[in-house]
Amino acid sequence: MNHFLDIHTTAPDDLRAMLDMARQMKDARNGLPKGTLDADQPLKGQMVALIFEKPSTRTRVSFDVGVRQLGGQTMVLSGSDMQLGHGETIADTARVLSRYVDLIMIRTFEEETLLEMAEYASVPVINGLTNRTHPCQIMADIMTYEEHRGPIKGKKVVWSGDGNNVCASFLHAAGQLGFDVTFTGPKQLDPEAEWIELARSKGSNIEIERDPVKAVQGADLIVTDTWVSMHDPESAKERRHNQLRGYQVNEALMAQAKPDALFMHCLPAHRNDEATSAVMDGPHSVIFDEAENRLHAQKAVMRWCLGK
């Protein structure tokens, strides 16, 4: 049984195997109707619980569709359905769910909830997002970069904006897959020092550059994310805009990167805040390939968890 909890806790060879499987499955589906089942149906007869303490569009749809394409069935549970840790313990919930389903995906707030679920579940658990990390998104991002530009090893990735959970998983991937990351953003929103040192300890060049123009020099990929979360209070939103306005990814900033640099954003986006529409819809952007590849990457993750 394999849990998929974070990129830095998953062996590099396993990450590479999942990325290769994702590409193979995507290629195999080319030209097929979207509702078509995968030929081998590795999840036939199996049930997957999809738990959402946090609302979701891409995670919910991509996992639900992915399970169905693999021949399985889903049970979607919201935070209000479960009330995780409020009454029945997370440990007991994990034990009970394990009697009913073959795989659990959880999108939650606190990392401790994910870890406790995995500790006590007797079926594989997948991290669909926590406040601290978002590994499934980065698996899709790596897949997207490599299908457009080849191996990501040795490339320079620039993260512009808030050193959030998606940024954290990029740092994990840098250490595991051998690429470099430059963070550009205000000091108050730096990524966790633990993740910076972890990537550096594995040989990746991790830099912090406050000047975004200097940061993107020689960049192969520029990535950003929303400046505000749907759960942030209004006062926090105004403060974030003031802090991050200088780190908007616009056409002038993209022009400072390599001519063939790609642009990514995990979506949803606030257009003309963290990135301009001209960039999001422009020739460097692969944001919708990135969104599609959540489906294929997560199917590969599920197959790996279940030994399929």
Side-chain angles (χ1 to χ4, degrees):
M1 182 180 68
N2 297 311
H3 297 306
F4 185 72
L5 303 182
D6 270 311
I7 287 176
H8 69 293
T9 60
T10 307
D13 287 348
D14 289 333
L15 295 171
R16 180 52 58 192
M18 284 183 259
L19 290 166
D20 291 345
M21 173 61 73
R23 186 64 183 270
Q24 292 168 20
M25 288 190 292
K26 183 175 183 178
D27 289 345
R29 294 195 63 82
N30 279 342
L32 295 175
K34 291 181 175 62
T36 305
L37 296 180
D38 285 14
D40 55 349
Q41 296 185 49
L43 266 62
K44 185 176 182 180
Q46 296 191 298
M47 178 67 71
V48 179
L50 305 178
I51 302 172
F52 293 94
E53 280 202 293
K54 278 192 171 185
S56 167
T57 299
R58 273 149 295 279
T59 299
R60 175 167 179 164
V61 175
S62 57
F63 266 108
D64 200 348
V65 171
V67 171
R68 293 166 190 254
Q69 288 182 355
L70 293 172
Q73 298 183 63
T74 60
M75 175 181 296
V76 179
L77 300 165
S78 72
S80 60
D81 294 330
M82 303 288 294
Q83 294 188 335
L84 280 172
H86 303 288
E88 184 174 63
T89 66
I90 295 166
D92 286 351
T93 298
R95 293 183 180 107
V96 170
L97 283 178
S98 297
R99 300 296 182 100
Y100 300 145
V101 303
D102 302 284
L103 177 65
I104 297 169
M105 188 287 302
I106 181 168
R107 180 180 174 95
T108 187
F109 292 91
E110 301 304 325
E111 182 181 54
E112 290 76 12
T113 302
L114 167 77
L115 297 178
E116 189 172 353
M117 181 71 70
E119 180 179 356
Y120 290 97
S122 56
V123 298
V125 174
I126 294 172
N127 177 0
L129 175 143
T130 69
N131 286 347
R132 203 174 185 206
T133 61
H134 196 359
C136 288
Q137 179 63 56
I138 272 48
M139 292 296 284
D141 291 356
I142 302 302
M143 177 185 175
T144 304
Y145 182 86
E146 294 194 334
E147 70 182 358
H148 283 273
R149 296 290 186 263
I152 197 168
K153 185 175 182 178
K155 302 300 184 181
K156 177 181 177 179
V157 175
V158 174
W159 181 278
S160 182
D162 179 6
N164 62 10
N165 51 359
V166 185
C167 180
S169 289
F170 251 116
L171 290 169
H172 297 166
Q176 297 293 70
L177 298 173
F179 60 91
D180 302 325
V181 174
T182 296
F183 171 81
T184 186
K187 184 175 182 178
Q188 307 95 307
L189 299 177
D190 277 354
E192 289 186 47
E194 177 182 349
W195 302 143
I196 293 172
E197 293 309 315
L198 178 67
R200 285 174 175 165
S201 72
K202 296 187 177 185
S204 294
N205 181 31
I206 309 299
E207 297 183 357
I208 294 179
E209 172 55 67
R210 302 297 173 204
D211 184 340
V213 174
K214 292 180 180 178
V216 301
Q217 300 295 319
D220 298 285
L221 170 62
I222 298 176
V223 191
T224 191
D225 195 2
T226 181
W227 289 346
V228 294
S229 167
M230 65 184 73
H231 305 288
D232 288 339
E234 287 301 318
S235 58
K237 293 178 181 179
E238 182 177 356
R239 183 175 68 252
R240 285 293 184 92
H241 277 80
N242 291 334
Q243 289 173 324
L244 290 165
R245 191 167 286 115
Y247 296 95
Q248 182 190 69
V249 182
N250 50 40
E251 289 176 289
L253 190 65
M254 286 299 307
Q256 299 299 315
K258 287 183 177 179
D260 64 346
L262 298 179
F263 168 76
M264 291 188 189
H265 187 307
C266 68
L267 303 179
H270 295 86
R271 284 175 175 261
N272 299 312
D273 280 352
E274 61 267 16
T276 61
S277 288
V279 169
M280 293 179 66
D281 299 326
H284 299 280
S285 176
V286 290
I287 59 174
F288 296 112
D289 292 340
E290 184 185 2
E292 177 190 346
N293 284 340
R294 286 288 300 276
L295 169 65
H296 308 296
Q298 289 163 183
K299 285 167 63 177
V301 169
M302 289 188 284
R303 292 185 70 138
W304 176 78
C305 287
L306 293 168
K308 301 287 187 176

